[in-house]
Amino acid sequence: MASDRRTLLADAALDVLADEGMRGLTHRAVDRRAAMPPGTTSAYFRTRAALLTGLVAHLVQLDQAELQTTADELPPLCTVEELVDGMVTLTRQRLTGEGRRRSLARHACAVESVRDKELREILVPRENAGREAVRLFLAKHGVTDVENRTHTLLTCIDGLVFDRLVNGGEVRREALEGLVAAALR
């Protein structure tokens, strides 16, 4: 039960953060969003730091699950077109619906992590099926510095998603094709 309530509160905190930003993220706001009695959030997450840490850990868990599901649904990546198709799918997921809300929360938490080492350590890019698929694709295509190229490619995609979160619209396929071409050079 406590684990279910923690998850419910972390989901509510994520929603508050996506809707109201970091300044709006309070224990009371999370209580209201979760439709819980006042004081419930502070009983599970005593401090704001604990609330943020719980939110970020939950966010990373959701992101990892999304990346695994996406990788499971795609065929093994053999062509540039297949890799770009996967990236188009990922960027759309990150810019619409719940994915957009998580992206907004993720970026707010990333900025906050500049001053919070614990948050930064939780947000460090993780090994996941999506990252591994890109790594294997680049290696299969003769890229010698696979780790750095994978990191750079995925970081650039994150930057494009951030730009579209701020400025609206979607990530253009041509931009993704250009990033893949650069990674393969």
Side-chain angles (χ1 to χ4, degrees):
M1 175 70 173
S3 177
D4 291 343
R5 188 153 295 174
R6 280 183 177 278
T7 300
L8 175 72
L9 293 169
D11 280 332
L14 196 154
D15 286 341
V16 169
L17 184 55
D19 290 341
E20 300 177 31
M22 197 57 76
R23 293 183 79 185
L25 182 64
T26 65
H27 287 83
R28 286 183 185 162
V30 174
D31 287 339
R32 282 191 302 274
R33 185 64 59 102
M36 294 286 182
T40 303
T41 302
S42 64
Y44 285 88
F45 302 102
R46 292 295 299 153
T47 64
R48 179 177 171 78
L51 178 59
L52 269 172
T53 300
L55 182 160
V56 169
H58 183 60
L59 182 59
V60 167
Q61 181 182 21
L62 292 171
D63 283 347
Q64 292 291 81
E66 175 191 53
L67 291 168
Q68 183 65 51
T69 299
T70 300
D72 290 346
E73 291 172 353
L74 294 173
L77 304 173
C78 296
T79 67
V80 169
E81 185 173 300
E82 290 170 342
L83 178 59
V84 173
D85 287 345
M87 292 175 175
V88 166
T89 298
L90 176 66
T91 59
R92 282 188 183 140
Q93 288 173 335
R94 296 273 165 109
L95 290 170
T96 59
E98 285 304 309
R100 177 178 172 74
R101 299 175 68 69
R102 283 199 323 273
S103 292
L104 289 167
R106 183 183 318 102
H107 286 289
C109 290
V111 170
E112 193 69 22
S113 77
V114 169
R115 292 173 287 285
D116 186 325
K117 184 180 177 186
E118 186 176 3
L119 290 182
R120 192 168 48 252
E121 288 174 4
I122 297 170
L123 283 169
V124 166
R126 306 266 184 248
E127 290 303 313
N128 59 63
R131 181 177 289 276
E132 183 61 16
V134 171
R135 188 183 293 121
L136 290 172
F137 177 87
L138 293 177
K140 197 183 311 181
H141 286 80
V143 171
T144 55
D145 190 10
V146 173
E147 293 303 318
N148 282 333
R149 296 279 179 104
T150 299
H151 175 76
T152 300
L153 177 58
L154 296 177
T155 300
C156 288
I157 292 168
D158 283 342
L160 288 172
V161 168
F162 178 78
D163 178 67
R164 297 297 84 203
L165 281 171
V166 172
N167 296 306
E170 60 183 46
V171 174
R172 291 185 4 249
R173 182 179 186 86
E174 297 79 24
L176 297 169
E177 289 169 343
L179 291 175
V180 171
L184 290 171
R185 277 197 287 270

